[in-house]
mmCIF file of all heavy atoms in Angstrom:
data_model
loop_
_atom_site.group_PDB
_atom_site.id
_atom_site.type_symbol
_atom_site.label_atom_id
_atom_site.label_comp_id
_atom_site.label_asym_id
_atom_site.label_seq_id
_atom_site.Cartn_x
_atom_site.Cartn_y
_atom_site.Cartn_z
ATOM 1 N N LYS A 19 -0.522 19.322 25.587
ATOM 2 C CA LYS A 19 0.889 18.906 25.360
ATOM 3 C C LYS A 19 1.145 18.675 23.873
ATOM 4 O O LYS A 19 0.283 18.296 23.090
ATOM 5 C CB LYS A 19 1.177 17.643 26.183
ATOM 6 C CG LYS A 19 1.119 17.818 27.643
ATOM 7 C CD LYS A 19 1.670 16.624 28.414
ATOM 8 C CE LYS A 19 1.675 16.956 29.976
ATOM 9 N NZ LYS A 19 2.228 15.833 30.681
ATOM 10 N N LYS A 20 2.382 18.924 23.472
ATOM 11 C CA LYS A 20 2.777 18.765 22.086
ATOM 12 C C LYS A 20 3.266 17.289 21.913
ATOM 13 O O LYS A 20 3.875 16.718 22.811
ATOM 14 C CB LYS A 20 3.851 19.725 21.704
ATOM 15 C CG LYS A 20 3.447 21.156 21.664
ATOM 16 C CD LYS A 20 4.542 22.076 21.127
ATOM 17 C CE LYS A 20 4.149 23.527 21.128
ATOM 18 N NZ LYS A 20 3.053 23.792 20.168
ATOM 19 N N PHE A 21 2.979 16.739 20.751
ATOM 20 C CA PHE A 21 3.366 15.364 20.387
ATOM 21 C C PHE A 21 4.429 15.341 19.365
ATOM 22 O O PHE A 21 4.376 16.113 18.392
ATOM 23 C CB PHE A 21 2.147 14.601 19.981
ATOM 24 C CG PHE A 21 1.242 14.085 21.116
ATOM 25 C CD1 PHE A 21 0.491 15.046 21.771
ATOM 26 C CD2 PHE A 21 1.185 12.797 21.449
ATOM 27 C CE1 PHE A 21 -0.354 14.604 22.778
ATOM 28 C CE2 PHE A 21 0.360 12.370 22.426
ATOM 29 C CZ PHE A 21 -0.425 13.293 23.164
ATOM 30 N N ILE A 22 5.345 14.446 19.463
ATOM 31 C CA ILE A 22 6.306 14.077 18.405
ATOM 32 C C ILE A 22 6.141 12.562 18.230
ATOM 33 O O ILE A 22 6.336 11.778 19.153
ATOM 34 C CB ILE A 22 7.741 14.359 18.743
ATOM 35 C CG1 ILE A 22 7.975 15.851 19.038
ATOM 36 C CG2 ILE A 22 8.703 14.007 17.575
ATOM 37 C CD1 ILE A 22 9.381 16.261 19.549
ATOM 38 N N TYR A 23 5.693 12.191 16.981
ATOM 39 C CA TYR A 23 5.454 10.781 16.731
ATOM 40 C C TYR A 23 6.478 10.242 15.673
ATOM 41 O O TYR A 23 6.626 10.768 14.599
ATOM 42 C CB TYR A 23 4.034 10.560 16.208
ATOM 43 C CG TYR A 23 3.669 9.091 16.006
ATOM 44 C CD1 TYR A 23 2.990 8.440 17.047
ATOM 45 C CD2 TYR A 23 3.992 8.449 14.886
ATOM 46 C CE1 TYR A 23 2.620 7.129 16.882
ATOM 47 C CE2 TYR A 23 3.706 7.132 14.738
ATOM 48 C CZ TYR A 23 2.945 6.454 15.727
ATOM 49 O OH TYR A 23 2.669 5.120 15.632
ATOM 50 N N LEU A 24 7.149 9.125 16.042
ATOM 51 C CA LEU A 24 8.131 8.515 15.154
ATOM 52 C C LEU A 24 7.650 7.133 14.768
ATOM 53 O O LEU A 24 7.226 6.342 15.617
ATOM 54 C CB LEU A 24 9.436 8.370 15.793
ATOM 55 C CG LEU A 24 10.141 9.594 16.320
ATOM 56 C CD1 LEU A 24 9.735 9.958 17.753
ATOM 57 C CD2 LEU A 24 11.726 9.420 16.272
ATOM 58 N N GLY A 25 7.692 6.790 13.433
ATOM 59 C CA GLY A 25 7.275 5.515 12.957
ATOM 60 C C GLY A 25 7.778 5.242 11.501
ATOM 61 O O GLY A 25 8.348 6.067 10.908
ATOM 62 N N ASP A 26 7.516 3.963 11.123
ATOM 63 C CA ASP A 26 7.968 3.610 9.752
ATOM 64 C C ASP A 26 6.936 2.908 8.897
ATOM 65 O O ASP A 26 6.890 2.988 7.730
ATOM 66 C CB ASP A 26 9.153 2.659 9.884
ATOM 67 C CG ASP A 26 8.770 1.272 10.404
ATOM 68 O OD1 ASP A 26 8.515 1.184 11.634
ATOM 69 O OD2 ASP A 26 8.653 0.396 9.586
ATOM 70 N N GLY A 27 6.010 2.154 9.594
ATOM 71 C CA GLY A 27 5.104 1.285 8.882
ATOM 72 C C GLY A 27 3.801 1.851 8.493
ATOM 73 O O GLY A 27 3.416 2.979 8.941
ATOM 74 N N SER A 28 3.005 1.110 7.725
ATOM 75 C CA SER A 28 1.650 1.603 7.360
ATOM 76 C C SER A 28 0.771 1.764 8.547
ATOM 77 O O SER A 28 -0.143 2.604 8.561
ATOM 78 C CB SER A 28 1.052 0.591 6.350
ATOM 79 O OG SER A 28 0.980 -0.669 6.980
ATOM 80 N N GLY A 29 0.981 0.997 9.614
ATOM 81 C CA GLY A 29 0.240 1.176 10.872
ATOM 82 C C GLY A 29 0.477 2.470 11.561
ATOM 83 O O GLY A 29 -0.284 2.913 12.454
ATOM 84 N N ASP A 30 1.528 3.235 11.201
ATOM 85 C CA ASP A 30 1.873 4.477 11.789
ATOM 86 C C ASP A 30 1.186 5.639 11.039
ATOM 87 O O ASP A 30 1.344 6.823 11.485
ATOM 88 C CB ASP A 30 3.358 4.701 11.801
ATOM 89 C CG ASP A 30 4.071 3.694 12.661
ATOM 90 O OD1 ASP A 30 3.693 3.499 13.840
ATOM 91 O OD2 ASP A 30 5.026 2.992 12.189
ATOM 92 N N TYR A 31 0.477 5.356 9.985
ATOM 93 C CA TYR A 31 -0.180 6.397 9.175
ATOM 94 C C TYR A 31 -1.389 6.928 9.902
ATOM 95 O O TYR A 31 -1.608 8.123 10.075
ATOM 96 C CB TYR A 31 -0.622 5.911 7.841
ATOM 97 C CG TYR A 31 -1.273 6.904 6.907
ATOM 98 C CD1 TYR A 31 -0.587 8.071 6.569
ATOM 99 C CD2 TYR A 31 -2.541 6.740 6.455
ATOM 100 C CE1 TYR A 31 -1.152 9.042 5.751
ATOM 101 C CE2 TYR A 31 -3.149 7.733 5.634
ATOM 102 C CZ TYR A 31 -2.425 8.864 5.297
ATOM 103 O OH TYR A 31 -3.021 9.746 4.496
ATOM 104 N N CYS A 32 -2.242 6.061 10.467
ATOM 105 C CA CYS A 32 -3.485 6.432 11.228
ATOM 106 C C CYS A 32 -3.155 7.378 12.326
ATOM 107 O O CYS A 32 -3.729 8.416 12.486
ATOM 108 C CB CYS A 32 -4.254 5.289 11.649
ATOM 109 S SG CYS A 32 -5.776 5.636 12.560
ATOM 110 N N PRO A 33 -2.181 7.071 13.199
ATOM 111 C CA PRO A 33 -1.893 8.000 14.338
ATOM 112 C C PRO A 33 -1.325 9.284 13.836
ATOM 113 O O PRO A 33 -1.498 10.355 14.416
ATOM 114 C CB PRO A 33 -0.876 7.196 15.167
ATOM 115 C CG PRO A 33 -0.282 6.094 14.294
ATOM 116 C CD PRO A 33 -1.484 5.768 13.403
ATOM 117 N N SER A 34 -0.595 9.242 12.671
ATOM 118 C CA SER A 34 -0.085 10.510 12.117
ATOM 119 C C SER A 34 -1.216 11.480 11.735
ATOM 120 O O SER A 34 -1.124 12.714 11.889
ATOM 121 C CB SER A 34 0.733 10.249 10.868
ATOM 122 O OG SER A 34 1.867 9.407 11.197
ATOM 123 N N LEU A 35 -2.348 10.889 11.299
ATOM 124 C CA LEU A 35 -3.553 11.676 10.941
ATOM 125 C C LEU A 35 -4.181 12.304 12.110
ATOM 126 O O LEU A 35 -4.888 13.309 12.055
ATOM 127 C CB LEU A 35 -4.547 10.771 10.156
ATOM 128 C CG LEU A 35 -4.159 10.326 8.817
ATOM 129 C CD1 LEU A 35 -5.165 9.281 8.272
ATOM 130 C CD2 LEU A 35 -4.021 11.505 7.804
ATOM 131 N N LYS A 36 -4.006 11.697 13.306
ATOM 132 C CA LYS A 36 -4.619 12.203 14.582
ATOM 133 C C LYS A 36 -3.895 13.327 15.209
ATOM 134 O O LYS A 36 -4.383 14.000 16.062
ATOM 135 C CB LYS A 36 -4.706 11.055 15.543
ATOM 136 C CG LYS A 36 -5.451 9.833 15.093
ATOM 137 C CD LYS A 36 -6.906 10.068 14.706
ATOM 138 C CE LYS A 36 -7.601 8.788 14.232
ATOM 139 N NZ LYS A 36 -8.996 9.077 13.812
ATOM 140 N N LEU A 37 -2.611 13.540 14.771
ATOM 141 C CA LEU A 37 -1.839 14.618 15.382
ATOM 142 C C LEU A 37 -2.404 16.036 14.961
ATOM 143 O O LEU A 37 -3.043 16.143 13.929
ATOM 144 C CB LEU A 37 -0.379 14.574 14.949
ATOM 145 C CG LEU A 37 0.346 13.222 15.313
ATOM 146 C CD1 LEU A 37 1.754 13.198 14.696
ATOM 147 C CD2 LEU A 37 0.422 13.097 16.846
ATOM 148 N N LYS A 38 -2.156 17.034 15.797
ATOM 149 C CA LYS A 38 -2.741 18.304 15.610
ATOM 150 C C LYS A 38 -1.759 19.344 15.189
ATOM 151 O O LYS A 38 -0.507 19.119 15.109
ATOM 152 C CB LYS A 38 -3.415 18.755 16.910
ATOM 153 C CG LYS A 38 -4.509 17.744 17.387
ATOM 154 C CD LYS A 38 -4.998 18.163 18.738
ATOM 155 C CE LYS A 38 -6.002 17.185 19.282
ATOM 156 N NZ LYS A 38 -6.574 17.469 20.611
ATOM 157 N N VAL A 39 -2.240 20.552 14.777
ATOM 158 C CA VAL A 39 -1.319 21.658 14.482
ATOM 159 C C VAL A 39 -0.495 21.928 15.698
ATOM 160 O O VAL A 39 -1.018 22.007 16.824
ATOM 161 C CB VAL A 39 -2.204 22.871 14.088
ATOM 162 C CG1 VAL A 39 -1.295 24.106 13.913
ATOM 163 C CG2 VAL A 39 -2.988 22.648 12.818
ATOM 164 N N GLY A 40 0.845 22.052 15.466
ATOM 165 C CA GLY A 40 1.709 22.310 16.625
ATOM 166 C C GLY A 40 2.440 20.958 17.018
ATOM 167 O O GLY A 40 3.428 21.034 17.746
ATOM 168 N N ASP A 41 1.948 19.838 16.544
ATOM 169 C CA ASP A 41 2.608 18.530 16.735
ATOM 170 C C ASP A 41 3.629 18.336 15.614
ATOM 171 O O ASP A 41 3.637 19.037 14.613
ATOM 172 C CB ASP A 41 1.603 17.460 16.825
ATOM 173 C CG ASP A 41 0.695 17.518 18.042
ATOM 174 O OD1 ASP A 41 1.107 18.041 19.021
ATOM 175 O OD2 ASP A 41 -0.468 16.985 17.940
ATOM 176 N N PHE A 42 4.332 17.194 15.750
ATOM 177 C CA PHE A 42 5.349 16.842 14.781
ATOM 178 C C PHE A 42 5.266 15.361 14.463
ATOM 179 O O PHE A 42 5.123 14.573 15.365
ATOM 180 C CB PHE A 42 6.777 17.223 15.248
ATOM 181 C CG PHE A 42 6.890 18.708 15.531
ATOM 182 C CD1 PHE A 42 6.544 19.153 16.824
ATOM 183 C CD2 PHE A 42 7.368 19.558 14.647
ATOM 184 C CE1 PHE A 42 6.721 20.522 17.140
ATOM 185 C CE2 PHE A 42 7.569 20.891 14.914
ATOM 186 C CZ PHE A 42 7.165 21.412 16.133
ATOM 187 N N VAL A 43 5.406 14.949 13.199
ATOM 188 C CA VAL A 43 5.452 13.595 12.827
ATOM 189 C C VAL A 43 6.762 13.316 12.161
ATOM 190 O O VAL A 43 7.225 14.141 11.306
ATOM 191 C CB VAL A 43 4.294 13.166 11.941
ATOM 192 C CG1 VAL A 43 4.257 13.910 10.684
ATOM 193 C CG2 VAL A 43 4.328 11.658 11.631
ATOM 194 N N MET A 44 7.495 12.254 12.549
ATOM 195 C CA MET A 44 8.731 11.858 12.004
ATOM 196 C C MET A 44 8.660 10.527 11.302
ATOM 197 O O MET A 44 8.948 9.494 11.883
ATOM 198 C CB MET A 44 9.791 11.842 13.117
ATOM 199 C CG MET A 44 10.193 13.225 13.677
ATOM 200 S SD MET A 44 11.359 13.060 14.990
ATOM 201 C CE MET A 44 12.715 12.128 14.284
ATOM 202 N N PRO A 45 8.227 10.534 10.031
ATOM 203 C CA PRO A 45 8.147 9.257 9.259
ATOM 204 C C PRO A 45 9.553 8.811 8.764
ATOM 205 O O PRO A 45 10.368 9.717 8.397
ATOM 206 C CB PRO A 45 7.243 9.574 8.157
ATOM 207 C CG PRO A 45 7.440 11.035 7.912
ATOM 208 C CD PRO A 45 7.809 11.640 9.234
#
């Protein structure tokens, strides 16, 4: 499954690093 991750804080950086090619991060 594809992931879209939305966050704002420093704690959202680690999960952003775990996302894969084909996923999306929305900082």
Side-chain angles (χ1 to χ4, degrees):
K19 294 189 176 181
K20 293 185 182 294
F21 282 69
I22 303 175
Y23 186 95
L24 301 88
D26 72 283
S28 58
D30 297 307
Y31 182 60
C32 180
S34 299
L35 293 171
K36 305 297 183 182
L37 299 175
K38 301 175 181 179
V39 174
D41 293 334
F42 302 86
V43 60
M44 290 178 55

